[in-house]
Amino acid sequence: MRVLGLHLLTGQLRFSVLEGTKTQPLLKDKGRLVTTDPEDVPALMDWYDSQFRQLINSHNPDKLSYRLTLDPKKDQLFCSEFPLGILNLIAHQKSLPISNYTSRSFTPSRLGLPKNADIYAHCDSVFGEHPPYWDKNQKNSLLVAWFEL
């Protein structure tokens, strides 16, 4: 099983590619892509379309998964929400299963951990550290992929 996990932020896209199982995950790739100018919405949507297709074509995932921001601010709509419509359309066109997770669903139980476990620290213990950009945002893309293994 190969899962592509995505987390969108203003000005950047984080992705992680995992293989294996929930108990034995393997990090195949991860990265941070800087977007085009968020003020030029048509060009930005074209950029997301191209990047999503390139990531899917190069990693050939069995599933897609992303972190969904609830109650986004107006400026976040163009960078964090509208692109997810494009991603869902591409998933539909390619017949790829797609899932989303919100911050409320980032619970340790999804990984079989005790209720008080720190899932971000758990990422480090399972995968090690992978700089650059090995931060909470990168781990969000990793976790949504991991939840789907």
Side-chain angles (χ1 to χ4, degrees):
M1 171 77 57
R2 181 177 279 205
V3 182
L4 171 61
L6 300 157
H7 179 53
L8 308 182
L9 303 130
T10 301
Q12 58 184 290
L13 178 159
R14 300 292 183 98
F15 72 91
S16 296
V17 180
L18 294 183
E19 281 187 354
T21 64
K22 199 170 280 194
T23 56
Q24 293 186 320
L26 178 62
L27 178 62
K28 297 301 286 181
D29 197 11
K30 61 113 182 148
R32 180 187 82 127
L33 303 173
V34 178
T35 69
T36 60
D37 181 7
E39 299 294 319
D40 187 352
V41 176
L44 181 64
M45 295 306 110
D46 182 62
W47 182 89
Y48 275 110
D49 181 76
S50 297
Q51 294 304 312
F52 290 149
R53 289 180 189 281
Q54 184 177 358
L55 286 168
I56 291 167
N57 290 338
S58 64
H59 294 290
N60 196 28
D62 300 302
K63 289 184 178 181
L64 303 174
S65 188
Y66 60 89
R67 182 158 191 242
L68 178 64
T69 301
L70 295 177
D71 300 323
K73 296 178 177 74
K74 183 181 175 186
D75 62 328
Q76 290 177 303
L77 289 173
F78 301 113
C79 299
S80 300
E81 302 300 315
F82 288 9
L84 296 175
I86 295 169
L87 180 64
N88 276 273
L89 176 61
I90 294 168
H92 174 73
Q93 291 169 342
K94 294 184 172 281
S95 299
L96 283 170
I98 187 166
S99 300
N100 66 75
Y101 294 90
T102 64
S103 60
R104 292 182 192 135
S105 60
F106 275 50
T107 60
S109 64
R110 289 204 180 274
L111 300 174
L113 299 172
K115 189 174 186 174
N116 62 347
D118 180 341
I119 59 174
Y120 295 99
H122 189 62
C123 289
D124 292 336
S125 66
V126 171
F127 298 100
E129 292 192 23
H130 297 274
Y133 313 116
W134 189 251
D135 57 10
K136 185 174 182 177
N137 291 319
Q138 188 64 48
K139 292 174 189 175
N140 283 335
S141 74
L142 180 111
L143 285 164
V144 294
W146 199 358
F147 295 158
E148 285 299 309
L149 286 179

